[in-house]
PDB file of all heavy atoms in Angstrom:
ATOM      1  N   ALA G 230     -32.894  -3.962 -13.667  1.00 98.00           N
ATOM      2  CA  ALA G 230     -32.170  -4.460 -12.494  1.00 98.00           C
ATOM      3  C   ALA G 230     -30.718  -4.766 -12.846  1.00 98.00           C
ATOM      4  O   ALA G 230     -29.796  -4.446 -12.075  1.00 98.00           O
ATOM      5  CB  ALA G 230     -32.860  -5.703 -11.933  1.00 98.00           C
ATOM      6  N   ASP G 231     -30.477  -5.389 -13.990  1.00 98.00           N
ATOM      7  CA  ASP G 231     -29.108  -5.681 -14.414  1.00 98.00           C
ATOM      8  C   ASP G 231     -28.304  -4.396 -14.587  1.00 98.00           C
ATOM      9  O   ASP G 231     -27.133  -4.322 -14.216  1.00 98.00           O
ATOM     10  CB  ASP G 231     -29.125  -6.451 -15.742  1.00 98.00           C
ATOM     11  CG  ASP G 231     -28.756  -7.916 -15.562  1.00 98.00           C
ATOM     12  OD1 ASP G 231     -28.718  -8.391 -14.412  1.00 98.00           O
ATOM     13  OD2 ASP G 231     -28.509  -8.590 -16.580  1.00 98.00           O
ATOM     14  N   TYR G 232     -28.921  -3.394 -15.166  1.00 98.00           N
ATOM     15  CA  TYR G 232     -28.249  -2.114 -15.397  1.00 98.00           C
ATOM     16  C   TYR G 232     -27.882  -1.473 -14.063  1.00 98.00           C
ATOM     17  O   TYR G 232     -26.762  -0.977 -13.872  1.00 98.00           O
ATOM     18  CB  TYR G 232     -29.174  -1.195 -16.198  1.00 98.00           C
ATOM     19  CG  TYR G 232     -28.484  -0.128 -17.003  1.00 98.00           C
ATOM     20  CD1 TYR G 232     -28.495  -0.170 -18.402  1.00 98.00           C
ATOM     21  CD2 TYR G 232     -27.836   0.942 -16.404  1.00 98.00           C
ATOM     22  CE1 TYR G 232     -27.877   0.819 -19.158  1.00 98.00           C
ATOM     23  CE2 TYR G 232     -27.224   1.937 -17.148  1.00 98.00           C
ATOM     24  CZ  TYR G 232     -27.246   1.866 -18.528  1.00 98.00           C
ATOM     25  OH  TYR G 232     -26.641   2.853 -19.274  1.00 98.00           O
ATOM     26  N   ARG G 233     -28.804  -1.507 -13.113  1.00 98.00           N
ATOM     27  CA  ARG G 233     -28.530  -0.947 -11.788  1.00 98.00           C
ATOM     28  C   ARG G 233     -27.389  -1.696 -11.110  1.00 98.00           C
ATOM     29  O   ARG G 233     -26.507  -1.096 -10.506  1.00 98.00           O
ATOM     30  CB  ARG G 233     -29.795  -1.008 -10.917  1.00 98.00           C
ATOM     31  CG  ARG G 233     -30.959  -0.204 -11.454  1.00 98.00           C
ATOM     32  CD  ARG G 233     -32.202  -0.394 -10.576  1.00 98.00           C
ATOM     33  NE  ARG G 233     -33.413   0.031 -11.269  1.00 98.00           N
ATOM     34  CZ  ARG G 233     -34.633   0.016 -10.751  1.00 98.00           C
ATOM     35  NH1 ARG G 233     -34.813  -0.449  -9.514  1.00 98.00           N
ATOM     36  NH2 ARG G 233     -35.673   0.413 -11.453  1.00 98.00           N
ATOM     37  N   ASN G 234     -27.431  -3.036 -11.197  1.00 98.00           N
ATOM     38  CA  ASN G 234     -26.355  -3.827 -10.597  1.00 98.00           C
ATOM     39  C   ASN G 234     -24.997  -3.461 -11.194  1.00 98.00           C
ATOM     40  O   ASN G 234     -23.982  -3.412 -10.490  1.00 98.00           O
ATOM     41  CB  ASN G 234     -26.608  -5.322 -10.804  1.00 98.00           C
ATOM     42  CG  ASN G 234     -27.698  -5.870  -9.909  1.00 98.00           C
ATOM     43  OD1 ASN G 234     -27.917  -5.390  -8.810  1.00 98.00           O
ATOM     44  ND2 ASN G 234     -28.391  -6.901 -10.384  1.00 98.00           N
ATOM     45  N   GLY G 235     -24.978  -3.213 -12.502  1.00 98.00           N
ATOM     46  CA  GLY G 235     -23.728  -2.877 -13.176  1.00 98.00           C
ATOM     47  C   GLY G 235     -23.146  -1.558 -12.727  1.00 98.00           C
ATOM     48  O   GLY G 235     -21.919  -1.397 -12.643  1.00 98.00           O
ATOM     49  N   ILE G 236     -23.994  -0.596 -12.437  1.00 98.00           N
ATOM     50  CA  ILE G 236     -23.522   0.678 -11.888  1.00 98.00           C
ATOM     51  C   ILE G 236     -23.079   0.475 -10.448  1.00 98.00           C
ATOM     52  O   ILE G 236     -22.011   0.925 -10.019  1.00 98.00           O
ATOM     53  CB  ILE G 236     -24.626   1.747 -11.946  1.00 98.00           C
ATOM     54  CG1 ILE G 236     -25.025   2.043 -13.399  1.00 98.00           C
ATOM     55  CG2 ILE G 236     -24.183   3.029 -11.245  1.00 98.00           C
ATOM     56  CD1 ILE G 236     -26.261   2.928 -13.523  1.00 98.00           C
ATOM     57  N   ASP G 237     -23.910  -0.226  -9.702  1.00 98.00           N
ATOM     58  CA  ASP G 237     -23.728  -0.339  -8.256  1.00 98.00           C
ATOM     59  C   ASP G 237     -22.410  -1.005  -7.886  1.00 98.00           C
ATOM     60  O   ASP G 237     -21.725  -0.573  -6.959  1.00 98.00           O
ATOM     61  CB  ASP G 237     -24.904  -1.119  -7.671  1.00 98.00           C
ATOM     62  CG  ASP G 237     -24.866  -1.189  -6.161  1.00 98.00           C
ATOM     63  OD1 ASP G 237     -24.977  -0.138  -5.518  1.00 98.00           O
ATOM     64  OD2 ASP G 237     -24.727  -2.301  -5.627  1.00 98.00           O
ATOM     65  N   VAL G 238     -22.028  -2.072  -8.601  1.00 98.00           N
ATOM     66  CA  VAL G 238     -20.828  -2.810  -8.226  1.00 98.00           C
ATOM     67  C   VAL G 238     -19.588  -1.934  -8.349  1.00 98.00           C
ATOM     68  O   VAL G 238     -18.589  -2.139  -7.649  1.00 98.00           O
ATOM     69  CB  VAL G 238     -20.694  -4.089  -9.072  1.00 98.00           C
ATOM     70  CG1 VAL G 238     -20.296  -3.769 -10.503  1.00 98.00           C
ATOM     71  CG2 VAL G 238     -19.707  -5.064  -8.439  1.00 98.00           C
ATOM     72  N   MET G 239     -19.654  -0.906  -9.192  1.00 97.00           N
ATOM     73  CA  MET G 239     -18.501  -0.029  -9.387  1.00 97.00           C
ATOM     74  C   MET G 239     -18.448   1.107  -8.370  1.00 97.00           C
ATOM     75  O   MET G 239     -17.489   1.890  -8.386  1.00 97.00           O
ATOM     76  CB  MET G 239     -18.522   0.544 -10.795  1.00 97.00           C
ATOM     77  CG  MET G 239     -18.141  -0.464 -11.868  1.00 97.00           C
ATOM     78  SD  MET G 239     -16.425  -1.017 -11.728  1.00 97.00           S
ATOM     79  CE  MET G 239     -15.554   0.476 -12.169  1.00 97.00           C
ATOM     80  N   THR G 240     -19.435   1.213  -7.490  1.00 97.00           N
ATOM     81  CA  THR G 240     -19.358   2.272  -6.485  1.00 97.00           C
ATOM     82  C   THR G 240     -18.134   2.087  -5.591  1.00 97.00           C
ATOM     83  O   THR G 240     -17.629   3.062  -5.023  1.00 97.00           O
ATOM     84  CB  THR G 240     -20.625   2.321  -5.615  1.00 97.00           C
ATOM     85  OG1 THR G 240     -20.814   1.050  -4.946  1.00 97.00           O
ATOM     86  CG2 THR G 240     -21.852   2.645  -6.453  1.00 97.00           C
ATOM     87  N   THR G 241     -17.637   0.865  -5.484  1.00 96.00           N
ATOM     88  CA  THR G 241     -16.411   0.624  -4.719  1.00 96.00           C
ATOM     89  C   THR G 241     -15.283   1.525  -5.202  1.00 96.00           C
ATOM     90  O   THR G 241     -14.474   2.013  -4.402  1.00 96.00           O
ATOM     91  CB  THR G 241     -15.994  -0.852  -4.851  1.00 96.00           C
ATOM     92  OG1 THR G 241     -16.994  -1.666  -4.247  1.00 96.00           O
ATOM     93  CG2 THR G 241     -14.662  -1.120  -4.185  1.00 96.00           C
ATOM     94  N   GLU G 242     -15.211   1.765  -6.511  1.00 97.00           N
ATOM     95  CA  GLU G 242     -14.086   2.527  -7.070  1.00 97.00           C
ATOM     96  C   GLU G 242     -14.171   4.022  -6.760  1.00 97.00           C
ATOM     97  O   GLU G 242     -13.244   4.765  -7.062  1.00 97.00           O
ATOM     98  CB  GLU G 242     -13.995   2.293  -8.577  1.00 97.00           C
ATOM     99  CG  GLU G 242     -13.811   0.843  -8.959  1.00 97.00           C
ATOM    100  CD  GLU G 242     -12.692   0.169  -8.181  1.00 97.00           C
ATOM    101  OE1 GLU G 242     -11.634   0.803  -7.985  1.00 97.00           O
ATOM    102  OE2 GLU G 242     -12.873  -0.979  -7.742  1.00 97.00           O
ATOM    103  N   THR G 243     -15.271   4.459  -6.173  1.00 97.00           N
ATOM    104  CA  THR G 243     -15.356   5.847  -5.710  1.00 97.00           C
ATOM    105  C   THR G 243     -14.761   5.995  -4.311  1.00 97.00           C
ATOM    106  O   THR G 243     -14.630   7.110  -3.825  1.00 97.00           O
ATOM    107  CB  THR G 243     -16.822   6.312  -5.654  1.00 97.00           C
ATOM    108  OG1 THR G 243     -17.512   5.598  -4.616  1.00 97.00           O
ATOM    109  CG2 THR G 243     -17.534   6.093  -6.981  1.00 97.00           C
ATOM    110  N   THR G 244     -14.444   4.878  -3.655  1.00 95.00           N
ATOM    111  CA  THR G 244     -13.997   4.737  -2.248  1.00 95.00           C
ATOM    112  C   THR G 244     -15.138   4.959  -1.264  1.00 95.00           C
ATOM    113  O   THR G 244     -14.895   5.231  -0.093  1.00 95.00           O
ATOM    114  CB  THR G 244     -12.803   5.647  -1.884  1.00 95.00           C
ATOM    115  OG1 THR G 244     -13.196   7.013  -1.858  1.00 95.00           O
ATOM    116  CG2 THR G 244     -11.648   5.442  -2.841  1.00 95.00           C
ATOM    117  N   CYS G 245     -16.381   4.811  -1.693  1.00 97.00           N
ATOM    118  CA  CYS G 245     -17.492   4.878  -0.741  1.00 97.00           C
ATOM    119  C   CYS G 245     -17.485   3.609   0.123  1.00 97.00           C
ATOM    120  O   CYS G 245     -16.870   2.595  -0.232  1.00 97.00           O
ATOM    121  CB  CYS G 245     -18.828   5.048  -1.448  1.00 97.00           C
ATOM    122  SG  CYS G 245     -19.521   3.553  -2.174  1.00 97.00           S
ATOM    123  N   TRP G 246     -18.192   3.681   1.253  1.00 97.00           N
ATOM    124  CA  TRP G 246     -18.231   2.537   2.174  1.00 97.00           C
ATOM    125  C   TRP G 246     -19.267   1.505   1.746  1.00 97.00           C
ATOM    126  O   TRP G 246     -19.041   0.305   1.802  1.00 97.00           O
ATOM    127  CB  TRP G 246     -18.533   3.034   3.600  1.00 97.00           C
ATOM    128  CG  TRP G 246     -18.714   1.937   4.597  1.00 97.00           C
ATOM    129  CD1 TRP G 246     -17.750   1.133   5.113  1.00 97.00           C
ATOM    130  CD2 TRP G 246     -19.950   1.516   5.197  1.00 97.00           C
ATOM    131  NE1 TRP G 246     -18.304   0.235   6.006  1.00 97.00           N
ATOM    132  CE2 TRP G 246     -19.656   0.447   6.078  1.00 97.00           C
ATOM    133  CE3 TRP G 246     -21.274   1.955   5.093  1.00 97.00           C
ATOM    134  CZ2 TRP G 246     -20.638  -0.189   6.831  1.00 97.00           C
ATOM    135  CZ3 TRP G 246     -22.253   1.320   5.838  1.00 97.00           C
ATOM    136  CH2 TRP G 246     -21.934   0.254   6.698  1.00 97.00           C
ATOM    137  N   SER G 247     -20.441   1.964   1.324  1.00 98.00           N
ATOM    138  CA  SER G 247     -21.490   1.061   0.868  1.00 98.00           C
ATOM    139  C   SER G 247     -22.445   1.840  -0.032  1.00 98.00           C
ATOM    140  O   SER G 247     -22.233   3.027  -0.300  1.00 98.00           O
ATOM    141  CB  SER G 247     -22.244   0.446   2.060  1.00 98.00           C
ATOM    142  OG  SER G 247     -23.149  -0.557   1.620  1.00 98.00           O
TER     143      SER G 247
END
Side-chain angles (χ1 to χ4, degrees):
D231 253 12
Y232 205 112
R233 298 176 197 182
N234 285 330
I236 297 171
D237 185 64
V238 72
M239 286 295 291
T240 59
T241 295
E242 301 311 319
T243 68
T244 69
C245 78
W246 175 72
S247 187

